[in-house]
Amino acid sequence: MLRFSTRTTIKHLSRTLNQGLLQDLTASCVTVADESAVLIRKIFKNGDLGVIDKGGLKNFQTEGDRAVQRLILKTLKTKYPQVTVIGEEDGDDGEAGDEKVFDALAPEVMEKTFPKDLQDVAPERICIWVDPLDGTMEFIDRMLHHVTILIGIAVDGKAISGVVNQPFFGFDDESKNPINGEDQSGESSVLDHSVLSSKNHFQRSCLRKNKTENDKKIICTTRSHASHDVNACIEAMKPDEILRQGGAGNKVLRVIEGDAHAYVFASPGTKKWDTCAPEAILVAMGGALTDMHGNVMPYDKNAKKPNSGGVLATISPKRRSGTWNMCPSLSGTILNSSLEITQTPSFLVFITVSIES
């Protein structure tokens, strides 16, 4: 896992210190993701997940999905009314509820200097994609380390900033207890933040662990949404090991952390809220995320929500080329458009891991 063992207190900072809307917005997203993690842990400890079948293949929704989306959207829409915010759960826009608006700005974001071209971004150019509980099936199955909260920020249709929060980081899936002890209050007592950047604003070298062996091909793919196309594609790649995981955000983290060479999903099962935040983080580390045909994902407010071409994510262009060549059915596809994404200016992104200890 990506983690700096640093105790962090989220403090309110005056927006007069703000260098621009995007920085303010990113700082707010970090704060509201941390608050959402506290909420989802309380819902889990309560025991009644309020599961609803939305229809389709393993397409479930829980009270965690609904409550977290209301919390996030209420804060973001109230503070930034001109910014488009799109959440996964229909009807839970936070406008009618009594959810608290969190006005705090994460200091670790506000103390940084954003690139000049991102210091004066008009709200109309921004679209936020929210997955309040990525890995819902795993949440229901109590496989908590697969679960993430995703908030992706796009500018002019490109994923620029992202927050991936792991609300159950450090939890043991068998005992359902935190590895580092138990806090009877049920509150998040430790917030660990890993800050990543493609322009060397922050230290990145300690984050990629490079655990994958050069002579082995390890592919990460879906745990709960396998299909004939997905399995056929994976088999054609002849991997030495298949890592089956839940949640798109968690799968991209497996690539970032070196557990897998690539995340491959040859199916239209994911949506823009699944990939926007993880893509921003992956691109900031020199990686790439496109569909299986090499097309860059659009994240503007008019973009189609389904990722109809599937998902292919790798940590570097070299890994991407190697992964692509493993799949005979894709060998004739033009790669130029997919590699352009490595030049996308994802300047500032955050992985937030919250530990209840």
Side-chain angles (χ1 to χ4, degrees), residues 65-354:
D65 297 85
R66 298 185 291 271
V68 169
Q69 176 157 308
R70 288 193 298 269
L71 185 154
I72 294 173
L73 266 60
K74 179 64 174 290
T75 289
L76 297 182
K77 287 189 172 185
T78 300
K79 294 172 68 174
Y80 313 101
Q82 293 180 290
V83 173
T84 300
V85 184
I86 301 174
E88 177 180 6
E89 309 305 336
D90 294 334
D92 285 307
D93 56 13
E95 295 180 357
D98 57 357
E99 285 74 20
K100 177 181 177 181
V101 174
F102 294 94
D103 199 48
L105 303 176
E108 63 270 40
V109 180
M110 298 304 296
E111 67 187 14
K112 306 301 179 182
T113 301
F114 271 48
K116 290 184 178 180
D117 60 329
L118 294 179
Q119 290 182 15
D120 189 22
V121 178
E124 295 78 14
R125 297 170 57 193
I126 300 174
C127 183
I128 304 175
W129 296 86
V130 177
D131 190 339
L133 187 61
D134 185 42
T136 298
M137 193 69 227
E138 285 66 36
F139 183 62
I140 295 171
D141 290 343
R142 270 61 174 178
M143 300 182 69
L144 301 180
H145 67 280
H146 296 251
V147 175
T148 59
I149 298 166
L150 307 176
I151 308 177
I153 303 173
V155 177
D156 298 330
K158 294 181 180 180
I160 293 297
S161 181
V163 179
V164 176
N165 185 293
Q166 298 172 280
F168 298 102
F169 181 86
F171 275 61
D172 174 48
D173 284 351
E174 295 297 326
S175 67
K176 308 301 182 296
N177 290 324
I179 293 173
N180 296 316
E182 184 173 1
D183 180 1
Q184 299 300 322
S185 69
E187 297 296 325
S188 174
S189 59
V190 179
L191 301 179
D192 293 331
H193 302 282
S194 296
V195 186
L196 318 177
S197 169
S198 65
K199 292 297 182 179
N200 296 321
H201 296 302
F202 313 101
Q203 182 59 251
R204 294 185 295 158
S205 60
C206 63
L207 299 180
R208 283 213 334 245
K209 299 179 182 179
N210 297 320
K211 291 178 286 188
T212 48
E213 299 177 21
N214 292 330
D215 60 345
K216 292 185 65 176
K217 294 180 291 188
I218 303 175
I219 300 298
C220 183
T221 193
T222 182
R223 166 189 168 263
S224 55
H225 292 85
S227 67
H228 176 271
D229 289 342
V230 171
N231 292 332
C233 183
I234 296 296
E235 290 173 7
M237 292 179 173
K238 295 180 170 55
D240 296 292
E241 183 179 342
I242 300 174
L243 188 62
R244 296 196 178 274
Q245 296 281 297
N250 174 55
K251 294 185 190 75
V252 175
L253 289 185
R254 301 285 65 75
V255 174
I256 290 174
E257 294 189 335
D259 295 316
H261 293 106
Y263 161 34
V264 180
F265 188 55
S267 170
T270 66
K271 306 292 195 300
K272 294 298 185 295
W273 44 70
D274 294 307
T275 54
C276 185
E279 178 180 328
I281 293 171
L282 185 63
V283 171
M285 297 190 70
L289 187 151
T290 67
D291 70 12
M292 292 297 295
H293 306 286
N295 299 310
V296 175
M297 305 283 195
Y299 294 104
D300 59 276
K301 63 182 180 181
N302 297 316
K304 293 182 179 179
K305 295 174 182 178
N307 294 326
S308 57
V311 178
L312 174 61
T314 58
I315 196 62
S316 68
K318 180 180 178 180
R319 288 292 190 199
R320 181 175 191 77
S321 178
T323 302
W324 202 287
N325 292 334
M326 292 181 206
C327 191
S329 64
L330 298 175
S331 60
T333 306
I334 301 297
L335 298 184
N336 290 339
S337 62
S338 69
L339 296 181
E340 288 176 358
I341 198 170
T342 62
Q343 303 301 318
T344 302
S346 287
F347 291 101
L348 182 65
V349 290
F350 289 84
I351 295 179
T352 306
V353 286
S354 300

Side-chain angles (χ1 to χ4, degrees), residues 4-10 188-193 357:
F4 290 152
S5 297
T6 304
R7 185 175 294 273
T8 303
T9 302
I10 300 298
S188 174
S189 59
V190 179
L191 301 179
D192 293 331
H193 302 282
S357 59

